[in-house]
Amino acid sequence: MKSGIFFLLTMTLGLFSCIDNQQEIKLVDADNFTSSINGKNVNLYTLKSKNGMTMQVTNYGGHVVSLWVPDKNGHFDDIVLGHNTLKEYIDYEGERFIGCVVGHYANRIANGQFYIDSIRYNIPQNNNGQSLHGGLKGLDQVIWDVDSVTPNKIYLSYTSPDGEEGYPGTLKLNMDYSLTDDNEFIIQYHATTDKPTVINLSHHGFFNLKGEGRGSINDHLLTIYADSITPVNNVLIPTGQLMAVEGTPFDFRKATAIGKRVDTDNEQLKNANGYDHNWVLDRKSAYDIELAASVYEPSSGRYLEVFTDQPGLQFYGGNFFNGSGKGKYSPTIDYREALALETQKFPDSPNQPNFPSARLNPDETYRHTCIYKFSVK
């Protein structure tokens, strides 16, 4: 068995090493992101691993603008949604959260309010009466400080003042993106506060393993290592219960085409117009980095694994893309043409005593690691 595993790993690494050295990767023009907003500089930065995996990221909201990954033939494609100019991110049409960091609280908080030590905090209601991804101006719309950049890593920081978007506490945030020689895109978050607060950061990247604008993701084969989800009501707030995935369209414990059951007559699918739910990950420990999900796209051979130390994973199947807005290579961003896999605390945890806590106290440090690892098979 060990020899078989070694052979598989050798073949996988060999495929990545057989890259198309003659291919010219057409990067987004960095000049389209060079600007100054409220006295802070915005730029576009390019990171690269020794295997050729290439990423562009801007310090405006920490948006990953492009991510070039090889297929089984060594040909690179840009496999994330993004825009060609800073202006398109600022004056977005359609989906606001494309390739960015989301917070203070990723996902939804019911009715835009929560309590800490019997004090009620009100935050903006920006999604059907709920608060989504931090409010009207979340971390996706601030200018992050660029502390340092190396060929394969960027270190970003931001200090959120007490009361920003209604959240208590001065929050000092550090976030770094890196590309490794093992074809990993690693995101690490750290945060401290001077008052009790709640925090839940996540990366809102949209992937299509065929390449951006190359059609539906419904033929991607998805595996999620979870026995249950947190079911939601018709405004996508968790009921507080857990629902077993066995016998339902939410059972991705074995690799299954995303589109196979997405149109099933199911109340939860109707509530979200498809998949937009939090899976309760089967974790062996509370803090270790563990495999949460994988995605395989047969035509390209690209294989994505998602690792995290967080308790939940939001799988969103692009149900609300409607052709408004445009990508880097296509005139529209269309229905179910990209997917998000967001590692996270559970939605609405501040109002759900049965969920893992999202509270951060002044003597604590928030830590969160997410790894997107690419290979081929």
Side-chain angles (χ1 to χ4, degrees):
M1 183 64 180
K2 288 184 178 179
S3 62
I5 294 173
F6 177 77
F7 176 77
L8 177 61
L9 289 173
T10 302
M11 289 296 293
T12 299
L13 291 173
L15 283 167
F16 262 105
S17 65
C18 297
I19 60 175
D20 183 355
N21 291 318
Q22 303 304 313
Q23 180 188 357
E24 180 181 356
I25 293 176
K26 184 175 175 55
L27 296 178
V28 173
D29 189 345
D31 289 344
N32 293 338
F33 286 80
T34 303
S35 184
S36 178
I37 299 176
N38 297 326
K40 299 187 73 172
N41 292 332
V42 179
N43 289 288
L44 186 66
Y45 302 85
T46 299
L47 309 180
K48 191 171 184 178
S49 76
K50 75 172 185 179
N51 294 321
M53 193 164 87
T54 303
M55 181 171 73
Q56 291 179 285
V57 57
T58 175
N59 59 315
Y60 176 76
H63 287 83
V64 173
V65 174
S66 68
L67 180 60
W68 292 82
V69 176
D71 66 9
K72 61 188 176 184
N73 298 313
H75 182 84
F76 283 80
D77 287 297
D78 183 359
I79 52 88
V80 297
L81 289 188
H83 298 301
N84 285 309
T85 67
L86 176 63
K87 186 177 187 301
E88 289 173 279
Y89 285 100
I90 295 173
D91 302 330
Y92 64 91
E93 294 183 31
E95 175 65 51
R96 163 181 157 190
F97 305 103
I98 291 181
C100 55
V101 57
V102 288
H104 294 48
Y105 202 92
N107 219 303
R108 293 168 176 84
I109 293 181
N111 302 312
Q113 65 179 36
F114 59 88
Y115 289 83
I116 297 178
D117 298 331
S118 300
I119 301 173
R120 188 176 77 178
Y121 293 93
N122 296 304
I123 55 179
Q125 298 176 349
N126 62 327
N127 183 260
N128 294 322
Q130 322 309 310
S131 184
L132 175 65
H133 293 330
L136 298 174
K137 185 181 179 182
L139 298 177
D140 62 297
Q141 294 181 321
V142 303
I143 314 304
W144 289 69
D145 293 322
V146 180
D147 297 328
S148 65
V149 184
T150 70
N152 70 319
K153 192 168 187 175
I154 185 168
Y155 296 85
L156 303 167
S157 63
Y158 176 70
T159 298
S160 174
D162 183 20
E164 185 172 53
E165 293 297 286
Y167 287 87
T170 299
L171 197 65
K172 294 185 177 180
L173 299 154
N174 294 94
M175 176 175 69
D176 57 78
Y177 296 165
S178 61
L179 300 181
T180 75
D181 294 340
D182 292 324
N183 303 299
E184 298 165 320
F185 166 29
I186 300 179
I187 308 166
Q188 293 183 304
Y189 310 93
H190 297 85
T192 58
T193 182
D194 61 359
K195 290 181 182 179
T197 192
V198 296
I199 182 172
N200 180 32
L201 307 183
S202 191
H203 179 68
H204 210 285
F206 281 103
F207 300 94
N208 184 325
L209 296 185
K210 301 171 192 172
E212 188 203 68
R214 297 277 179 84
S216 174
I217 50 85
N218 279 344
D219 56 355
H220 288 44
L221 301 177
L222 174 66
T223 306
I224 302 178
Y225 299 95
D227 292 329
S228 58
I229 65 167
T230 51
V232 295
N233 61 22
N234 61 359
V235 290
L236 303 185
I237 294 296
T239 64
Q241 306 300 311
L242 302 185
M243 185 188 88
V245 299
E246 186 169 358
T248 78
F250 296 86
D251 191 350
F252 286 97
R253 292 174 296 178
K254 294 182 180 179
T256 304
I258 290 171
K260 182 177 181 179
R261 301 166 301 192
V262 70
D263 294 318
T264 301
D265 185 9
N266 176 277
E267 181 182 9
Q268 285 298 306
L269 291 175
K270 290 178 181 177
N271 285 345
N273 197 30
Y275 294 113
D276 191 7
H277 295 77
N278 172 68
W279 269 254
V280 180
L281 296 175
D282 296 337
R283 295 189 51 81
K284 298 178 178 65
S285 70
Y287 302 106
D288 290 342
I289 298 170
E290 300 176 8
L291 181 62
S294 63
V295 187
Y296 174 59
E297 198 288 297
S299 65
S300 68
R302 291 189 180 95
Y303 183 58
L304 166 62
E305 295 171 287
V306 183
F307 297 82
T308 189
D309 51 9
Q310 297 299 292
L313 177 81
Q314 186 85 8
F315 163 48
Y316 170 53
N319 310 313
F320 299 106
F321 290 126
N322 59 9
S324 61
K326 62 180 180 179
K328 299 183 292 284
Y329 317 110
S330 56
T332 58
I333 299 175
D334 295 326
Y335 184 59
R336 293 180 179 166
E337 285 197 351
L339 64 94
L341 294 166
E342 307 156 62
T343 61
Q344 61 178 9
K345 307 287 190 208
F346 296 174
D348 199 36
S349 286
N351 296 311
Q352 304 282 356
N354 295 328
F355 288 179
S357 175
R359 176 169 172 154
L360 180 67
N361 294 312
D363 59 345
E364 299 170 337
T365 299
Y366 169 85
R367 293 181 174 87
H368 175 177
T369 297
C370 173
I371 302 173
Y372 297 106
K373 183 173 183 177
F374 297 90
S375 58
V376 293
K377 64 178 186 177

